[in-house]
Amino acid sequence: LVIGALAALAMGLTGAPLAGADPGYTAADMDFIAGVTALGYYDEDQDRLIKTGHVVCELLDQGANNATVQAEVLIHHQNGREQPGDGGYWPDLFTQVAAISYCPWQPAADWNI
């Protein structure tokens, strides 16, 4: 349900800055921050989260495998929530939110996690 809601939000993005938001942030940036924050990724430096989201899409566009993309997320951010079954973090969900927000043409945007 959450993933579906994020996908619906992503479809309506215009890329224009939001009123009252930092003028450097687009609607996609704000939706991305909201999405990863809901997953438990907290970072006082929102620019750092956004940068990692863009790096995720760059890696996906270059054909990087899932393990490489997950490693990039885990190098920069850990959320402390355990992934069911393996006690890891949720880099797959971070990757999906990044894809929905920044590279919806990537298959990761449609994952059913």
Side-chain angles (χ1 to χ4, degrees):
L1 184 60
V2 171
I3 302 303
L6 289 172
L9 284 173
M11 284 193 265
L13 295 177
T14 63
L18 296 176
D22 180 335
Y25 293 151
T26 65
D29 294 335
M30 298 309 294
D31 286 342
F32 174 72
I33 292 296
V36 295
T37 299
L39 294 174
Y41 285 93
Y42 301 106
D43 196 327
E44 292 178 14
D45 185 355
Q46 291 183 341
D47 291 336
R48 185 171 167 234
L49 283 169
I50 291 167
K51 181 179 179 181
T52 305
H54 285 288
V55 168
V56 163
C57 281
E58 289 169 13
L59 289 170
L60 292 172
D61 285 344
Q62 294 169 7
N65 64 27
N66 194 35
T68 300
V69 176
Q70 285 186 18
E72 184 67 28
V73 172
L74 290 174
I75 287 168
H76 299 288
H77 306 285
Q78 294 183 348
N79 70 356
R81 286 192 180 180
E82 292 187 4
Q83 193 166 359
D86 69 3
Y89 294 96
W90 289 11
D92 279 340
L93 294 176
F94 187 103
T95 299
Q96 185 173 36
V97 173
I100 289 168
S101 298
Y102 299 123
C103 52
W105 55 87
Q106 285 292 337
D110 295 325
W111 287 345
N112 186 13
I113 298 174

